[in-house]
Each structure stands twice: as C-alpha cells, then as structure tokens.
Amino acid sequence: MKYQRINNKLFINNRKNLIKQLKPNSIVILNSNDILPTNADGLMPFKQNNDLFYLTGIEQEETILLLFPDSPEERFKEILFIREVNEELILWEGDKLTVKEASDISGIKTVRFLPEFDDILNYLTSDAEHIYLNSNEYKRAAVEVETRDDRFIKKCKAKYPLHYYCRIAPLIYRLRARKSDIEIDLMKKACELTEKGFRRILSFVKPGVTETEVEAEFIHEFIRNNGAPADYEPIIASGIDSCTLHYIKNNKTCKDGDVLLIDFAASYANYNADMTRTIPVNGKLTARQKRVYNAVLRVLKETRKLLKPGARLLKIFEKNRALIEKELIDLGLLKMADIKKQNPDKPLSSKYYPHNVSHFLGLDVHDVGYFDEPLAPGMVLTCEPGIYIREEGFGIRLENNILINQNGNTDLFENIPIEADEIEDLMNSK
Ligand SMILES: [Mn+2]
C-alpha cells in the first residue's frame, strides 16, 4: 500500500458498532476475496473484500476475521487469522504481514496463523448460538463466481448444521453507508487528488491530444500522490462518444469543436472519489454546447439542495427528473404537451437522460446503502445529472461528491472548477 497507515481507531470503532447489533452469543466470520486467475499461471491484481477491510484494515489475501464478543475467554472475542509466512514465500512475494503488523493495523490483539482456524472455530462454536456470515447482497450485483465467503458458508453449514445462521451484510451495509470522520478525511484526500488530476489536464487538452494521453495524465497525478485510479474503468469520451454512458475505449484523437466528457477520479486508501466533467477540446464551448452545459449545471445545483438528512433517494430521483424535463423543454428537445401524456414508467426524458442522478460512494464506487431509507449525516453521494444529444453529436455530464451533514450537505468538490467560464479561463491561460 502506498497510503499513510490509517488510524486503527477506525477499524476498532467499526467492529464496536457492528457488535452492538448482533444477537446474543453470536460468532461473526468474514473472509477476504480470492486472488482470481487469468491464464496459465497468471493472476489478477488482488482486491480486498471491502467489508473485511472496513472491519480490519487488512489488505492481505487469505485473511479471516472472527468475532465472538460474548466469548467467556477475553482472547477469543476478536481473532484475526493471517497467512503463515515461510522463506520461500518471502523470496517470491516479499514481505507478508507479521503478527505485530497485522495487530497494529487492525487493533486486534489476538492474531493467529490460518492453520489454527478450524480448531479454534470448533472450540468456540459450542458456546455460540448464532453464526453471522457474509455474502454480496448489493441489489444490482451480478456475480457468477463463487467467493471465499460463499465456499465458507457451505463448509460451515455442513459442519455446524444446528446453529442459527444470520446475514451480516445488512448490518455492515448500514454502517458503511454513514462515514466517520476518519473516513471522510480519506475521501477528502481522494477528492484532492482528483482535483490535481483535473487541473493538470485542463492545461493539457487541446485539439490533437488523444483520449489515451488524457487518461495517462490523470493516472500520473494520482499515483505520484500515493493514490490510485478510483475503482472503475475511466471514461474519456470525446465527440459523439460523450453520449455513450460507459465508453471506455479511450483511444481517439480529440478534435477541434468537440466536447470531452471525463468520468475519472482518484481513490485514496481504498476510498473512492467519482468525478465527471465535460470540457471543450479547444478551450471554448459553442453557444449550443454552453446552453446545454448550463442547463446540466443548474440541475446539479438544484438537485444538490435536495440531498439532506431525512430525504429519500427514490423521491429525489423523481424531483431530479422533473428538473431535467424542464431544461429539455427549454432546449427545444421535448414538448410539455408530450410529457403530460407520457407513460410514467418510460419518461420521454430518458432518451436524453437515461440514468439516475445519484449513488452512494465510499469503499465501493457504487457503495452499499439503501435507496429507500432516509439519508443521514455521514453519507456520501454523487450528484451527476447529464443531457446527451446524440443527434447533435455531444453529451454533457457533471458529477460532484456530496457529504450529508446535520444541516444539509457539504460539496466535497467545492474546489474543483465546474463553472463553464472558469474552465474556459483555465484552459486558455496555459
Ligand atoms: Mn458516479
């Protein structure tokens, strides 16, 4: 890891908050992600399971967390299991975590090596009533591979069939949705790196540069500042491809007169920012591009006001669509009379605005959280309206990251230029 070690109070508090919600006499077991294969003896880069990271801070593969807060033995209330190192492993893979390092990172006093796991679990289960296990319960997840947690669920249920099994995911998701101060600082750092990347490319983009070069400029800035690209495929889409929501080829030359839609951001210590900006390749929006730009910006500002404690995202989506409809009428793209007759399940505006305005943000880019529950302080959400006009060859999306607080919200992107004039000035002052 390249980031500064995180204060382990974060993980200690996260476990404390989780434990409060367990039924009496419960064991919790979470597994890390697998390292997935590519071809031959190749492997994909390792990405820790975010729930496990949230509770331990450990980024090493084959890690297991076991919590048993009601254990009669103090040393077994929290146990972290890590890989046992040997000389050959160190020769090939370098340092793995020592017991002391794992304990310092996580704040867990009892750290054991993996080969002890089965016996310790066996010893503890006779005192336990409930076993909480983890699975990916994100609504839109489409996972075909079996995870380490999935395999463990089968193994555990086969071995201990008479315990009561419970889902840990809903408890962790509600905790993860509300960020603590330490997490907010990490997210602010991700926003800061994103700003650096954006300012760098503002003085770089001109007709003739390639989308690939723009992507590389961002990554250079993120990595040299100890961050990384956020956990999604960057979208660097010039011209007509600004209308393709998930364009990821990023391989064209940017042309005079085109817009460049950039949906790319940094992560820091696994916490993601998520930014979209749309800029003129030649440093000056055409009159029509600017009209659409300002329409999207107005919708962003109006929708941002709705992100406050107690509000519900599903309701905000409806109000946001009404704001977009008004702008689409003013831009001459839709007629009020047609909107009045529209099928509410298939609003006409979806031709120009086929997505929703917001998602939770955090360790996952589409972070865990519940769209139908009231927003609360500590939640971080995106605000990302867009208008895509394929017949005119361009689309505009703008996306900021918003922290809900007691009184309303704070825009974590307040330092990232968004006004059309400011962006044009910065692009022309190289
Ligand atoms: Mn987003």
Side-chain angles (χ1 to χ4, degrees), residues 139-154:
K139 260 192 181 158
R140 288 190 222 158
V143 184
E144 288 195 30
V145 291
E146 198 173 50
T147 65
R148 257 182 133 70
D149 275 321
D150 295 336
R151 297 197 299 275
F152 183 73
I153 290 169
K154 284 187 192 162

Side-chain angles (χ1 to χ4, degrees), residues 238-258:
S238 67
I240 185 74
D241 289 314
S242 57
C243 296
T244 300
L245 298 178
H246 289 161
Y247 170 81
I248 51 170
K249 285 188 193 148
N250 304 352
N251 60 3
K252 296 197 309 295
T253 299
C254 301
K255 293 203 189 78
D256 199 355
D258 279 350

Side-chain angles (χ1 to χ4, degrees), residues 14-23 28 67-70 77-78 175:
N14 291 348
R15 293 194 297 274
K16 227 184 250 168
N17 291 330
L18 180 67
I19 285 165
K20 278 186 211 153
Q21 302 183 48
L22 302 175
K23 295 176 179 159
V28 178
L67 302 174
F68 187 13
D70 295 333
K77 287 180 189 287
E78 292 188 331
L175 290 176

Side-chain angles (χ1 to χ4, degrees), residues 232 263 274-276 357-359 361 365-366 382-384 397 399 401:
Y232 64 96
D263 187 341
D274 186 2
M275 177 188 77
T276 309
V357 74
S358 183
H359 56 81
L361 181 67
V365 174
H366 291 175
T382 65
C383 185
E384 48 178 315
R397 178 166 68 255
E399 175 178 28
N401 297 166

Side-chain angles (χ1 to χ4, degrees), residues 85-239:
V85 289
N86 55 45
E87 272 176 32
E88 202 191 339
L89 190 70
I90 289 171
L91 173 69
W92 286 95
E93 296 191 21
D95 261 355
K96 293 284 163 184
L97 292 173
T98 64
V99 165
K100 173 156 186 347
E101 284 166 339
S103 177
D104 288 348
I105 291 170
S106 62
I108 295 173
K109 293 200 181 79
T110 307
V111 179
R112 300 292 181 91
F113 290 120
L114 269 183
E116 288 187 80
F117 175 76
D118 286 342
D119 286 348
I120 292 180
L121 180 62
N122 205 43
Y123 177 80
L124 297 178
T125 40
S126 58
D127 291 329
E129 202 68 31
H130 305 95
I131 302 179
Y132 283 77
L133 300 177
N134 201 19
S135 65
N136 182 343
E137 297 192 12
Y138 189 78
K139 260 192 181 158
R140 288 190 222 158
V143 184
E144 288 195 30
V145 291
E146 198 173 50
T147 65
R148 257 182 133 70
D149 275 321
D150 295 336
R151 297 197 299 275
F152 183 73
I153 290 169
K154 284 187 192 162
K155 196 177 122 185
C156 196
K157 283 183 148 175
K159 194 154 180 211
Y160 308 106
L162 297 182
H163 283 71
Y164 296 103
Y165 283 88
C166 307
R167 297 147 61 210
I168 198 73
L171 307 185
I172 299 188
Y173 288 4
R174 287 189 175 85
L175 290 176
R176 276 181 53 191
R178 294 183 69 170
K179 277 73 182 168
S180 62
D181 290 347
I182 296 176
E183 290 180 289
I184 289 163
D185 284 345
L186 298 170
M187 294 194 74
K188 282 182 176 166
K189 182 87 183 165
C191 295
E192 226 174 81
L193 303 197
T194 304
E195 179 189 351
K196 280 185 203 282
F198 183 54
R199 288 188 185 273
R200 182 183 179 97
I201 67 97
L202 280 179
S203 55
F204 175 80
V205 171
K206 56 176 188 291
V209 304
T210 64
E211 296 164 352
T212 311
E213 288 172 304
V214 175
E215 181 177 339
E217 291 293 315
F218 269 103
I219 293 174
H220 177 85
E221 200 64 36
F222 297 161
I223 296 195
R224 70 200 283 254
N225 285 293
N226 305 315
D231 210 4
Y232 64 96
E233 289 281 332
I235 298 166
I236 316 282
S238 67

Side-chain angles (χ1 to χ4, degrees), residues 57-71:
I58 301 292
E59 286 203 61
Q60 187 163 284
E61 69 284 359
E62 295 181 32
T63 303
I64 302 178
L65 172 67
L66 191 158
L67 302 174
F68 187 13
D70 295 333
S71 167

